[in-house]
Amino acid sequence: MFERNGIVVMVIPPDAEGHPLSCGVMATVGRSTSPADLTAAVSAAFGRQPGSGEAAGAPVWELEAGQVVAVARDDEGGVLFTFWYPRAAAH
């Protein structure tokens, strides 16, 4: 886990239950930022819209080379970006 200027980055190793290596980035947005505004900003940053799937209720984007990212926001403005490669994806 690393922290710099209020942004926390975590690297989570694969586990025995089959969860792949993942990376999480935690940040904050203003409490008044709506989920739709956050989704629009993330879509603009990634240059694509989220796919039809979700992870624990959060929208999921498929990035280059099969990597995926879920973006979850809590009521206090905390945002968690979780990046991973699905088990079947070549990487």
Side-chain angles (χ1 to χ4, degrees):
M1 182 178 285
F2 309 92
E3 185 275 333
R4 185 172 195 174
N5 297 328
I7 296 177
V8 178
V9 176
M10 303 168 295
V11 178
I12 302 120
D15 64 22
E17 295 176 12
H19 298 105
L21 172 72
S22 64
C23 172
V25 178
M26 295 188 310
T28 58
V29 295
R31 290 182 185 180
S32 63
T33 303
S34 73
D37 288 344
L38 179 61
T39 298
V42 172
S43 292
F46 290 153
R48 62 189 70 217
Q49 296 297 311
S52 60
E54 60 179 40
V60 175
W61 288 258
E62 185 172 332
L63 304 179
E64 304 301 322
Q67 187 180 38
V68 293
V69 59
V71 180
R73 181 188 179 282
D74 66 23
D75 293 336
E76 300 299 314
V79 178
L80 175 61
F81 291 78
T82 306
F83 297 84
W84 73 94
Y85 285 100
R87 286 183 285 243
H91 55 278

